[in-house]
Amino acid sequence: MRSVALPTLLNELVSTSAEVTKTSSRKAKAALLAKLLRQLETGEVATAVGLLIGQPRQRWLGVGFVSVFNLDIEPATHPTLTIDEVDAAFSSLQRAGGAGSQKSRNDLLTGLMKRATSSEQAFLRQVLTGEVRQGALGGVLTEAVALGFEVPPEVVRRASMLRGDLGQVAEVAAVGGVVGLESIGLRVLTPIQPMLASPGAALPNIFPEVTSIEWKLDGARIQVHRLNDEVAIFTRNLNNITERMTEVVEAALSFRAKAFVLDGEAMALRDDGTPQPFQETMSRFGTEERVFAEVPVLGFFFDLLHLDGVDLIDEPLHRRQELLDELVPLAQLIPRVLTSNADEAATFAQGALAAGHEGVMLKDPESRYEAGRRGKSWLKVKPVHTYDLVVLAAEWGHGRRSGYLSNIHLGARDPATGGFVMVGKTFKGMTDEMLGWQTEHFPTLETHRDRWAVYLRPEQVVEIALDGVQASTRYPGGVALRFARVKRYRFDKAPAEADTIQTLQALLPGHTPS
């Protein structure tokens, strides 16, 4: 740390981020970030880490993409804005509410952007819209914290899992080193990073190992904490949604324990018990105005991380499941079987799909809870749909994709009009070679452009993999793609051979052809 307490300019952080973006070596990225962290004052560390990973410590700021990018403010000519001043401005954005809140936030954003240079403005826009892509998010920042404050990376990872906030963990590392980090434990009512699953192979390739197989629900990940009569519910991004999950709160208070942490899914159901469309569940997760639709949402659980004063994250999965079964009623447990038989597994998976869910999860019964990481002990297996669609436009990228045409707008063919109906966007699955090709080729199809995108004649066919679709009021075809990613460009197909909007509509749950 510096001996003289001088506020750090945002420009120092932005310049480092730009260097990191241009650096391909993960080790070199971590070294650049570690150098920056060492230069910060203790009180700046948590804020800086949050900015660098695109997750401000305030989390919810009430600012949308349009409000950020519609601001056209003349940038400052010299850097004067400090990291602490950005943090204070974000806190003011978070507090703005009630009548006139939109104008208040706009005024706050305007004032902040007037203080920022051109490069600082670009960086702040990325942070505010969740578009930070410098090739150095959570994983590399974790290594940088370890390197910068000379602590083992595995200690940083575990502390980050338990605290659920890498910025806070970095601050502890700066002040308390290894001893401070090792003092961080699981705290009921404080969210922890969820364990993630990797894509799995087909079921026959998994067996004959004994495997815990459970339905992969078409819901939204939640983490439910209870301490005596207080319940807190968090999303997979660790946002607090307790006020919007009244049914889940009531259920948690009925369970026969005083303290626990559950991992599971929230899901809206139809009267027949099948899942509502995914967006119906998500409507309960709120909007900028923090309102939600009157859609009953229930909680269904698959893991137990703490029970009445005892942390369970280091216990094997089968033990956590035993305790889970004793705590949660059967109706609120996600269905699962323990088997080494491929035929039994296939039948179980077919049952999940028949019930309207996404597929199955395959889990090692001996696995510990490794939060925040994608390991091979949890695998997700679900059918992958691929469709040929047409590129309608491409947006200019941010971060390491600056200067490239990146996020593509996708259209399905409408036989009734002979045109194409937009069904979604994606920037996933693109290689560097693909990005270069898109940037060179798409302008040859250009019809017009604006500040953000180049609009194309509907001629280029692209094969898209997706996990399914959901009903949408945003797109004219009434359907939107879920988890779409580019597989390849189809130079062998004409636009007239693209899949139709009716083909995608048929994937909607309960869809009846007209």
Side-chain angles (χ1 to χ4, degrees), residues 280-299:
E280 293 294 332
T281 297
M282 291 307 298
S283 70
R284 286 289 293 273
F285 282 60
T287 67
E288 288 188 9
E289 291 75 31
R290 302 192 183 195
V291 299
F292 54 82
E294 292 299 326
V295 178
V297 170
L298 302 178

Side-chain angles (χ1 to χ4, degrees), residues 432-449:
D432 290 344
E433 181 181 6
M434 232 179 244
L435 288 168
W437 176 83
Q438 289 177 182
T439 305
E440 180 179 354
H441 176 64
F442 285 169
T444 68
L445 305 176
E446 178 178 346
T447 59
H448 64 287
R449 68 174 64 192

Side-chain angles (χ1 to χ4, degrees), residues 465-486:
L466 54 133
D467 292 352
V469 300
Q470 63 189 47
S472 172
T473 56
R474 179 178 181 182
Y475 296 124
V479 64
L481 310 181
R482 291 192 60 194
F483 306 110
R485 57 267 188 204
V486 175

Side-chain angles (χ1 to χ4, degrees), residues 87 101 128 130 141 216 236 273 336 354 372 383 431 508:
D87 184 58
S101 60
L128 288 163
L141 255 299
K216 189 179 189 311
R236 66 179 295 150
R336 68 172 185 271
T431 63
L508 289 169

Side-chain angles (χ1 to χ4, degrees), residues 249-390:
V249 170
E250 291 173 3
L253 289 172
S254 72
F255 298 161
R256 295 181 178 179
K258 294 298 184 182
F260 54 76
V261 177
L262 290 164
D263 199 350
E265 298 272 338
M267 188 170 59
L269 298 178
R270 297 187 178 90
D271 292 339
D272 63 359
T274 58
Q276 292 268 22
F278 180 71
Q279 74 272 16
E280 293 294 332
T281 297
M282 291 307 298
S283 70
R284 286 289 293 273
F285 282 60
T287 67
E288 288 188 9
E289 291 75 31
R290 302 192 183 195
V291 299
F292 54 82
E294 292 299 326
V295 178
V297 170
L298 302 178
F300 300 89
F301 303 102
F302 57 77
D303 216 329
L304 179 63
L305 313 182
H306 176 94
L307 181 63
D308 284 338
V310 179
D311 293 343
L312 303 174
I313 55 175
D314 291 323
E315 293 291 325
L317 174 64
H318 66 81
R319 177 57 180 160
R320 303 198 306 271
Q321 289 175 335
E322 290 170 5
L323 295 171
L324 176 71
D325 292 348
E326 295 174 5
L327 175 67
V328 175
L330 180 62
Q332 290 180 261
L333 292 172
I334 293 178
R336 68 172 185 271
V337 295
L338 186 67
T339 184
S340 60
N341 184 284
D343 291 336
E344 183 181 2
T347 300
F348 184 79
Q350 290 166 4
L353 296 173
H357 298 293
E358 293 185 305
V360 291
M361 300 288 297
L362 310 180
K363 299 180 178 180
D364 179 355
E366 298 298 327
S367 62
R368 273 55 176 173
Y369 196 89
E370 300 178 42
R373 305 186 70 185
R374 292 188 187 275
K376 294 299 182 182
S377 57
W378 284 18
L379 302 174
K380 52 187 175 183
V381 176
K382 50 188 178 179
V384 176
H385 308 276
T386 62
Y387 294 92
D388 293 322
L389 303 173
V390 170

